[in-house]
Amino acid sequence: MPRPIRALIDFLALQHNLSIVRKHARNVQIMAVIKANAYGHGLLSTVSALKSADAFAVLELEAAVRLREAGVDHPILLLEGYFSTEDLVVADQYRLSTVIHHKEQLVMLLASKLKNKLNVFVKINTGMNRLGFTLGDAVAALNTLRSHPTIGNITLMTHFACADDPLQKIEIIEQIKCFSVIQKKFHLPCSMANSAAILRYPETHADWVRPGIMLYGASPLLDKTAAELDLRPVMTVTSKIIAIQHLALKDKVGYGSHFQADRPMRIGIVACGYADGYPRHAPTGTPILVDGQRTRIVGRVSMDMLTVDLTGIEHANVGSIVILWGKGLPIEEVAESAGTISYELFCALSSRVETQTIMNENQ
């Protein structure tokens, strides 16, 4: 028998979350971000569930090729662009779109002999200072691209640093002002809004929006929960209690003996550890569900197991169902307790965790 830990992926929830994107961003095109194996949810099955999106965005060239070879005909954007002229040949062969964000990529493009028109998204650095052309370099790059015979559609894009934080609105305003300099000069289609901006800043919706984390049912906003935004969890990670221990006063638990019982108590041993993707640094008190009742983990998370407090859950025993995060326990709560973010928990889920997809309400 396999270990009892598994990830349940609810594609009805995924489709619902896409409808929330459409509710907020009407009459614009939606580019669903599916990088990092669709945030750990499974690339091909996620794309199948999101087929009503207008385009997809990935990071890895290999993922884009995999989608094309699986028959996906949507526009596919390479979010970091290409890293060599060989990548450009593959992008040309598989009809991929690409981000261009620095001069070296432009040089590679000019040196390549493409067979087809290449659609490009030109990234403008408006203040995040990761990827993107400065305003001065962007003007020169765009003039070059517009005169190049193998370039098809050109879209302007940028990325917001603080759209999640309601106290950082001035940062967004400054980035929009910076972007508008190029926008007004070239009058090209634009893509600005990530998940947080889709929900908080409708003025950024433009021609394309790029939802990521909100599709998977986690809140992209610091001041709103997923439930408040009507987002439904797509991934629910479950396991079972595999042993029970009875502690006396002052008994200790786990590596380092970091937890000491302040009273006689029962604890459950759960088949889930950091090798499954659960954060090792999650402290005592991190929320967890046992048989639908909220409790806490205690002691240090180990490679294959963690321990939970069964105080007040008298019926819990070996075989009791445990929810690590997902339906009934928002991933943001677990992430916050562990000092991380929901993105990391999604992406860290181990390949050894069995995945089961839910495609209809009867499953």
Side-chain angles (χ1 to χ4, degrees), residues 123-146:
K123 193 160 195 176
I124 313 299
N125 177 15
T126 58
M128 192 169 185
N129 293 311
R130 291 194 315 186
L131 303 181
F133 292 98
T134 63
L135 294 188
D137 289 342
V139 171
L142 284 162
N143 284 330
T144 298
L145 289 168
R146 291 208 298 184

Side-chain angles (χ1 to χ4, degrees), residues 3-6 237-240 242 255 269-282 288 297 299-308 322 324-325 334 345 348-353:
R3 288 176 75 233
I5 187 170
R6 59 181 43 82
V237 180
T238 72
S239 190
K240 292 181 180 180
I242 59 173
Y255 288 118
I269 315 305
V270 180
C272 175
Y274 59 78
D276 299 298
Y278 198 87
R280 179 183 179 275
H281 48 277
I288 197 166
I297 71 168
R300 181 178 287 174
V301 176
S302 58
M303 182 180 289
D304 309 304
M305 290 170 279
L306 55 80
T307 48
V308 297
V322 175
L324 287 306
W325 66 71
V334 178
L345 296 189
L349 192 70
S350 170
S351 59
R352 79 177 189 176
V353 177

Side-chain angles (χ1 to χ4, degrees), residues 230-282:
D230 194 21
L231 298 173
R232 300 176 186 172
V234 177
M235 176 191 290
T236 298
V237 180
T238 72
S239 190
K240 292 181 180 180
I241 291 176
I242 59 173
I244 301 287
Q245 294 291 344
H246 296 267
L247 304 185
L249 176 67
K250 296 187 178 181
D251 276 353
K252 298 174 182 179
V253 174
Y255 288 118
S257 298
H258 286 284
F259 177 80
Q260 185 176 49
D262 60 1
R263 63 189 183 280
M265 61 186 297
R266 282 199 320 152
I267 62 167
I269 315 305
V270 180
C272 175
Y274 59 78
D276 299 298
Y278 198 87
R280 179 183 179 275
H281 48 277

Side-chain angles (χ1 to χ4, degrees), residues 106-170:
L106 194 59
V107 170
M108 287 183 231
L109 176 60
L110 297 177
S112 299
K113 295 180 180 179
L114 305 180
K115 297 179 180 178
N116 304 292
K117 293 277 189 179
L118 181 70
N119 294 330
V120 298
F121 281 60
V122 179
K123 193 160 195 176
I124 313 299
N125 177 15
T126 58
M128 192 169 185
N129 293 311
R130 291 194 315 186
L131 303 181
F133 292 98
T134 63
L135 294 188
D137 289 342
V139 171
L142 284 162
N143 284 330
T144 298
L145 289 168
R146 291 208 298 184
S147 64
H148 198 280
T150 61
I151 297 301
N153 298 326
I154 300 175
T155 302
L156 303 174
M157 73 181 297
T158 195
H159 193 60
F160 294 120
C162 305
D164 58 340
D165 189 345
L167 301 179
Q168 297 278 3
K169 186 175 181 179
I170 188 64

